[in-house]
Amino acid sequence: MEGECRAPQARSSGLPAGGAGGESPGGDAPLSGSSGSSALLQAEVLDLDEDEDDLEVFSKDASLMDMNSFSPMMPTSPLSMINQVKFEDEPDLKDLFITVDEPESHVTTIETFITYRIITKTSRGEFDSSEFEVRRRYQDFLWLKERLEEAHPTLIIPPLPEKFIVKGMVERFNDDFIETRRKALHKFLNRIADHPTLTFNEDFKVFLTAQAWELSSHKKQGPGLLSRMGQTVRAVALSMRGVKSRPEEFMEMNNFIEIFSQKINLIDKISQRIYKEEREYFDEMKEYGPIHILWSASEEDLADTLKGVASCIDKCCKATEKRMSGLSEALLPVVHEYVLYSEMLMGVMKRRDQIQAELDSKVEALTSKKADTDLLTEEIGKLEDKVECANNALKADWERWKQNMQNDIKSAFTDMAEENIHYYEQTIYYGPIYSSCKEKEEMI
């Protein structure tokens, strides 16, 4: 919890902007620290008609109260003042560049798995060197995500791509699947690097710098199996108990998450269906070009016409393939990432509620005098600070995440619209040629 309450360390800059591996990191927009009177945040939210055949995106008012951690309503005890620190503006210049590349297959007698090379370049003083190169497998990324959630339960941790895939969609070690996962892992690490708090997490530093045996040794230093089981049982008990009264701002936040989850899942479903139909159309169309070429060899009178039709089909195939590439690279990954984000947000809200439920149970025990009142009073004081710290961390990270979400989705749909415009400009030109050839073919 300590990492959520302190202001991020000042970053030094010494590397040129641009990234280490040619692929721009999935950077988050900086959180702007604001002070003064409360204001309503007007958020653009994706909305869809209930009829899935009609995809409609419009601006919806999903205002939430301004969640300024320096509100005068907050307690003013020394510890509370520490907890009220909000994320500062991030510097314009980056000082940590991460690239994930060169997937490599490993086959053992027990299992087959893929590792990825991770190159880190930095000018931060807490690193022993300016450049590191390590290899990590998916389980290592999963370990990092879990440690970040343990250290910062109410910060919004970037999502990892799923470990398992839908049966029949793609093979586990298919080249396309490996490349898609590599890009997702690259974005995962760079989103952490761009986060004002997570970027200074010690486990993140170890993940980027330690060799395989060092990382394995570091993993063993965490809580043991029995301790983790105890934490899980307590978390389940608290989640079953629930919270008596969730603050209004978190009720609004939870409602936003539920609506967002429904809409983004529907967009993901429709986008995947569009891509599938586009793929089927492309596969069918590309067979017609060679057929017309073969046909022209046996029909001298139709040869020029048939070759013209084949040429138009070939150009349309290329334009369609380019549009499919834009759909699979620009839109689908962004939409699916935010599907995973919606699941992560639900987990964050659940962990916040568990912290509050623990406080509620202690207050209830004190009221009924079921235990030592002095001890309970001390525990309640600590839990109140813990709840306040967790709430402030979530509120600050929430606004940051919403701004990034709006920018990412807007950019993805804008890029896709430009791809479609370019596609139709090309196919409108080829269309009349194709139609003219077909008319000549029918006349003959």
Side-chain angles (χ1 to χ4, degrees), residues 376-394:
L376 277 176
T377 302
E378 182 180 354
E379 291 180 357
I380 288 172
K382 293 179 180 178
L383 284 172
E384 285 176 343
D385 286 325
K386 185 177 180 181
V387 169
E388 184 182 353
C389 184
N391 288 347
N392 288 342
L394 176 54

Side-chain angles (χ1 to χ4, degrees), residues 305 308-309 312 430-443:
T305 301
V309 171
C312 289
Y430 299 135
I433 300 176
Y434 177 80
S435 299
S436 175
C437 293
K438 290 292 290 183
E439 289 175 2
K440 290 181 182 179
E441 180 183 329
E442 291 172 357
M443 290 176 61

